[in-house]
Amino acid sequence: MVFAGNTVLHDVSLDFRRGEVHAIIGENGAGKSTLMKILGDYLTATQGQLNLAKTDVKFASPKEAEKAGIVLVHQEILLASHLTVAQNIFLGRELRRGLLVDDVKMNAQTATALAELDCLASPTARVEDLSIANRQLVQIARALSGEHHFVIFDEPTATLTPVESEALFGVIARLKQQGCGVIYISHKLDEVKRISDRVSILRDGKSVGTFSTNDLTPAQMANLIVGREMGELYPAKPTQHDRAPALQVEDFSVPGFVHHASFSVAKGEILGFACLIGAGRTELLEGVLGLRFGKGRVLKNGKAVDFKTPRQAMDEGIAYVTEDRKGKGLLLASPLTNNLTLATAESFTAGFLMDTSREAKALDAAFEEFDIRAKSRKMDAGQLSGGNQQKLLLAKMMLLNPDVVVVDEPTRGVDIGAKKQIYEFISGLAKAGKAVVVISSEMPELIGLCHRIIVMRNGAIVGEVTGKNITENKIVMLATGTHKDAA
């Protein structure tokens, strides 16, 4: 398969069976998503043949592939943001009552589909008002609402917490029992091990092999993905020498999302935030940092501050790495240099013009420090893999030279090799005496990185775990409220 002048798949041959879960794993840029888009006819292969039920097939459009029962749940959110949840799920195949669209029936069926995924979004809510995680669940519900013999999931749990992921795994188990084939792409090797029957590994557009999942451990999968021994995924937690709080938040509320939250993070500490979708962790930090309206008391190094805009927070030495790197963090259609210097543009001006030579040197330094990999320094940010986009976003915010760093979903959609690098970078920030806040849906990530983890539920902080109490069971019990039953 040749794409944009580059060969991205080399003679890859795979077979998929109904009634099994077949995982496809590999680093960013290995060709996984490209292969899946070929199966769903979103891309056309330059050579090779697709065979369905022992018959060679060639689809004229993705709609034809869907009619044949091949459904792709994209990694990117492809919904009409101005329409309601129900309108998106039935878009192009609306239910009718006579000549009129039957909104009542569509809303009822949508509510049932969302309940199967433990999604609390209202069928009548507009997609643009939903969290990224709920948008992903709506996208999954849409895919499963039509006829399907093979369902392709491309990074479906990247935005989901463990509880929401469990609901999806239940749906996948039912699809398998019904004789549907499931093709599953994920960087989360523990879940690949848990739910798949076979696993195929791609590296640099080539097939490494297909294995029975029972024959591989997640560590062995990681080694096959990168072609070398990976070692420990998480670095040792840095020793805290200075317990002085760098950021204190007291009685902080964000209308409609968070009420009366208080927490602090010390210099040299990695503080985690865990909760279920919609509990308010991202909204809390966005409120504190001036990205949305909030009220309460905030102190930076003991001095009272009140951030009305994110620029004010940045000027006070606080960097925020957004969870939505494609929508809010980077300008995907702009060059790497422009993205890198966007938050610190005034530092790269010479008179009224940008000092392009200094920008180029800064990009070279970012490539070296963050191990950003690109075929050309002149390419646009959207042409980078997910892991390299995340590294570019981190490099962009680190040009602020912050002493407090808030990272929301640091490794979403990032392969195992890049994850290890990002974890080492976060640990290095704490070792350098910076206060770090990590918001994550990945429980092992929080447990492996953080000194303390704050748990939220329904817009409130309901507990904190530290030391030997940092376990998945303790966190889930707090997040779901079941700790009260166990008490």
Side-chain angles (χ1 to χ4, degrees):
M1 171 68 185
V2 178
F3 186 67
N6 298 309
T7 302
V8 293
L9 290 172
H10 307 260
D11 300 320
V12 174
S13 296
L14 297 172
D15 69 283
F16 303 105
R17 305 166 187 170
R18 296 183 65 170
E20 78 163 5
V21 179
H22 190 141
I24 308 291
I25 60 176
E27 290 188 280
N28 289 115
K32 306 181 301 297
S33 294
T34 299
L35 178 61
M36 296 306 105
K37 288 176 181 177
I38 290 171
L39 295 181
D41 204 61
Y42 291 87
L43 292 175
T44 302
T46 52
Q47 68 179 55
Q49 184 62 53
L50 176 64
N51 183 287
L52 182 64
K54 299 182 180 180
T55 303
D56 289 345
V57 294
K58 189 173 182 63
F59 303 121
S61 67
K63 182 166 282 190
E64 274 197 16
E66 288 187 8
K67 285 182 179 179
I70 301 175
V71 180
L72 172 59
V73 181
H74 292 267
Q75 181 178 3
E76 302 87 5
I77 304 297
L78 301 178
L79 297 172
S81 60
H82 63 288
L83 298 180
T84 69
V85 171
Q87 288 168 342
N88 269 278
I89 286 180
F90 286 95
L91 188 62
R93 42 194 169 87
E94 289 81 0
L95 303 180
R96 295 190 175 275
R97 185 179 54 202
L99 297 176
L100 302 176
V101 173
D102 193 340
D103 287 312
V104 173
K105 193 171 183 179
M106 289 196 304
N107 288 340
Q109 291 188 18
T110 296
T112 300
L114 296 178
E116 286 191 359
L117 293 167
D118 282 355
C119 178
L120 300 179
S122 167
T124 59
R126 293 192 182 278
V127 166
E128 62 191 359
D129 296 326
L130 301 181
S131 67
I132 291 176
N134 276 326
R135 292 179 200 179
Q136 177 69 328
L137 291 173
V138 170
Q139 185 157 267
I140 292 169
R142 170 176 166 77
L144 298 181
S145 65
E147 185 72 21
H148 44 267
H149 302 306
F150 286 91
V151 180
I152 304 166
F153 292 97
D154 193 353
E155 294 286 350
T157 63
T159 63
L160 307 182
T161 61
V163 172
E164 287 79 29
S165 296
E166 284 297 324
L168 175 61
F169 297 156
V171 171
I172 289 174
R174 290 196 294 276
L175 290 172
K176 180 180 171 180
Q177 290 170 358
Q178 294 163 5
C180 181
V182 175
I183 304 169
Y184 194 85
I185 299 175
S186 180
H187 291 306
K188 299 180 181 180
L189 301 184
D190 288 338
E191 69 184 29
V192 167
K193 174 68 176 177
R194 175 181 168 186
I195 71 169
S196 69
D197 301 291
R198 290 189 297 153
V199 55
S200 293
I201 298 164
L202 298 182
R203 189 192 311 143
D204 299 326
K206 299 176 182 178
S207 175
V208 175
T210 297
F211 308 85
S212 169
T213 306
N214 288 334
D215 294 337
L216 294 177
T217 65
Q220 289 170 326
M221 293 180 199
N223 293 338
L224 286 167
I225 286 171
V226 300
R228 62 184 186 277
E229 292 291 326
M230 281 292 296
E232 290 294 327
L233 184 59
Y234 299 102
K237 294 179 183 179
T239 302
Q240 286 184 260
H241 299 291
D242 188 348
R243 299 300 180 105
L247 183 69
Q248 296 168 270
V249 177
E250 300 173 359
D251 198 28
F252 201 91
S253 296
V254 179
F257 296 100
V258 180
H259 43 274
H260 306 297
S262 298
F263 69 92
S264 67
V265 57
K267 298 174 182 178
E269 180 183 30
I270 304 175
L271 174 69
F273 271 83
C275 66
L276 305 184
I277 291 173
R281 59 190 180 183
T282 293
E283 289 80 7
L284 170 58
L285 271 300
E286 286 183 345
V288 169
L289 302 182
L291 285 149
R292 62 173 70 233
F293 176 75
K295 53 184 178 181
R297 190 163 184 256
V298 180
L299 295 95
K300 169 81 184 327
N301 293 328
K303 182 186 75 173
V305 291
D306 182 15
F307 303 130
K308 301 299 185 185
T309 67
R311 182 77 255 176
Q312 291 175 337
M314 287 189 282
D315 290 342
E316 284 288 339
I318 304 178
Y320 174 63
V321 182
T322 176
E323 65 174 331
D324 185 8
R325 63 173 175 263
K326 293 186 176 183
K328 298 178 182 177
L330 298 173
L331 301 174
L332 298 184
S334 295
L336 305 182
T337 305
N338 294 9
N339 275 278
L340 177 67
T341 61
L342 187 62
T344 52
E346 67 279 359
S347 302
F348 291 90
T349 56
F352 294 103
L353 302 175
M354 295 296 291
D355 188 335
T356 55
S357 64
R358 287 185 60 212
E359 283 189 303
K361 289 179 181 178
L363 186 63
D364 287 340
F367 267 60
E368 178 70 23
E369 182 179 355
F370 292 87
D371 191 29
I372 299 171
R373 302 177 188 181
K375 289 183 172 64
S376 168
R377 297 288 204 270
K378 296 182 180 180
M379 59 194 300
D380 290 341
Q383 295 175 282
L384 293 176
S385 69
N388 285 304
Q389 287 180 1
Q390 188 70 355
K391 292 177 191 176
L392 178 63
L393 181 56
L394 286 165
K396 164 190 167 183
M397 301 312 297
M398 289 308 104
L399 283 180
L400 292 164
N401 192 27
D403 53 6
V404 176
V405 182
V406 179
V407 190
D408 199 346
E409 301 291 0
T411 62
R412 172 176 293 164
V414 168
D415 65 60
I416 191 73
K419 276 188 176 185
K420 183 175 173 63
Q421 291 178 314
I422 291 171
Y423 295 152
E424 289 170 349
F425 173 72
I426 289 173
S427 177
L429 290 174
K431 287 178 182 176
K434 300 181 187 296
V436 185
V437 177
V438 175
I439 304 170
S440 179
S441 301
E442 292 196 38
M443 206 76 73
E445 186 166 270
L446 292 173
I447 294 169
L449 283 176
C450 300
H451 296 96
R452 288 186 297 132
I453 298 173
I454 288 173
V455 184
M456 296 184 67
R457 187 177 73 254
N458 297 331
I461 292 175
V462 293
E464 173 187 306
V465 291
T466 186
K468 293 181 179 179
N469 287 323
I470 299 182
T471 66
E472 188 164 340
N473 185 54
K474 290 276 188 182
I475 295 169
V476 170
M477 288 177 69
L478 283 167
T480 58
T482 53
H483 66 294
K484 295 178 181 178
D485 299 331

